[in-house]
Amino acid sequence: MATPDLLPIDVATLVDRCACGSRRILVGMPDSAFEITATKPGSHAKPLALAPLKEGLAPEKRALAEDLRALFGVLDVSVRRYALRRHLDASSVTRYLSGERVPSWEFVAGLIDDVREATAPLTPAAEAALHETHRTAQKSNRRSSEMQALQDELAGADEETRRIKARQRALEEALMDRERNLRESVSRCRRLEAQIDDEQSAHRADVTLWEGEYEQLRRECDDLSQDVLFLQEALAVARAELIAAEGQCHQLEADLEAMTQGEGRGQGASSLMAALE
């Protein structure tokens, strides 16, 4: 892991650090070998040398190999040790650093991580430039380019698979929650049904008695309703008869009054004639 006092490294910059003669890293320029020495007081370490880049190497591969060599030189380890550390074949690492083969981006990313842990991280611009150099080198090698395209497609498919799995887990959790709620609701319904059955059994005798009383009251209501209808009709007839009787009484009274007045006038005339005689 990088220490706070270290600044990001630019791949295009020659790395040259001196700390009281304790360590010095020299990265060779293009077309030359470079050596790494780790000098300690009283020790005589052998420099680690890589073969120069071959003539006739494609410019894209040469540029990538130079950048990889610059990064690898910072680690201060041999090719064999680094291959063991990364579980790789030493000959494959050598071909990557010599430009004979274009490595996968996974290898380059691992190298960047190792440099970050050993010294300091690359600047974002340097890492982007290295990524572009790697893509350009792969395009010069059709098979590697096709392989990288398949790897990118696989990475995209894997990302989609992870998203689908995450969504599936969320749906499964939601389903389990709903199923748990459903089981609880069904259990409550069954308890209520059992309680209703118990109450119905306990009050069945009372219900039977109440039904008998209700039936008797219903019959009484029907009988009383018939009586009310009969009495209403009889009352209507009686009222009509009363009206007719009262009319007859008024007529008879009028006739009687008229007759009485007629008799009175007749008697008065007879008395007057008798007096005149």
Side-chain angles (χ1 to χ4, degrees), residues 169-182:
R169 286 193 297 270
L171 292 174
E172 288 175 350
E173 292 176 358
L175 176 60
M176 292 176 60
D177 182 67
R178 297 300 185 276
E179 288 178 344
R180 182 175 59 255
N181 293 337
L182 176 60

Side-chain angles (χ1 to χ4, degrees), residues 29-277:
M29 298 303 291
D31 299 330
S32 63
F34 69 87
E35 63 179 12
I36 304 169
T37 60
T39 305
K40 296 181 180 179
S43 64
H44 301 281
K46 292 183 179 180
L48 175 64
L50 291 176
L53 297 177
K54 294 181 179 180
E55 296 294 337
L57 193 62
E60 298 85 357
K61 293 183 178 181
R62 178 179 294 275
L64 178 62
E66 290 170 357
D67 289 345
L68 295 180
R69 284 170 171 245
L71 290 175
F72 185 77
V74 177
L75 299 180
D76 195 13
V77 294
S78 65
V79 173
R80 187 175 301 278
R81 284 180 57 188
Y82 186 76
L84 290 174
R85 181 183 301 175
R86 280 292 176 177
H87 305 287
L88 298 171
D89 184 67
S91 60
S92 297
V93 178
T94 301
R95 292 189 183 95
Y96 295 157
L97 297 177
S98 64
E100 295 179 9
R101 290 182 57 184
V102 178
S104 64
W105 177 251
E106 181 181 2
F107 172 82
V108 180
L111 186 58
I112 293 174
D113 291 338
D114 293 336
V115 171
R116 180 184 297 110
E117 293 179 0
T119 56
L122 271 69
T123 61
E127 187 169 349
L130 181 58
H131 203 168
E132 182 62 27
T133 302
H134 177 262
R135 288 184 180 276
T136 303
Q138 280 193 324
K139 289 179 181 179
S140 66
N141 187 342
R142 182 176 180 181
R143 184 173 180 275
S144 298
S145 180
E146 292 176 353
M147 184 177 297
Q148 182 64 36
L150 290 176
Q151 289 176 350
D152 294 341
E153 186 176 353
L154 176 60
D158 182 65
E159 180 66 22
E160 181 66 18
T161 301
R162 288 199 298 270
R163 285 196 296 267
I164 294 174
K165 286 183 178 179
R167 183 169 178 268
Q168 178 181 346
R169 286 193 297 270
L171 292 174
E172 288 175 350
E173 292 176 358
L175 176 60
M176 292 176 60
D177 182 67
R178 297 300 185 276
E179 288 178 344
R180 182 175 59 255
N181 293 337
L182 176 60
R183 288 193 298 269
E184 293 176 355
S185 298
V186 170
S187 178
R188 290 178 57 192
C189 287
R190 290 177 178 174
R191 288 196 299 269
L192 289 175
E193 289 175 354
Q195 184 178 356
I196 291 173
D197 291 339
D198 293 340
E199 292 180 356
Q200 287 180 346
S201 299
H203 299 291
R204 186 167 288 114
D206 295 337
V207 171
T208 302
L209 178 61
W210 294 338
E211 287 178 349
E213 293 180 356
Y214 170 77
E215 186 65 24
Q216 182 179 356
L217 289 174
R218 189 181 63 80
R219 288 195 298 269
E220 291 179 359
C221 289
D222 291 341
D223 294 341
L224 291 174
S225 297
Q226 294 295 328
D227 293 342
V228 168
L229 291 176
F230 174 77
L231 292 174
Q232 286 177 346
E233 293 176 356
L235 178 60
V237 172
R239 286 176 177 174
E241 292 176 351
L242 175 60
I243 292 172
E246 288 182 349
Q248 185 178 4
C249 289
H250 289 310
Q251 184 63 39
L252 291 173
E253 287 179 353
D255 293 344
L256 181 60
E257 182 67 24
M259 185 179 292
T260 301
Q261 291 179 357
E263 289 179 355
R265 285 195 298 271
Q267 291 179 359
S270 298
S271 299
L272 180 59
M273 291 179 65
L276 291 175
E277 291 178 354

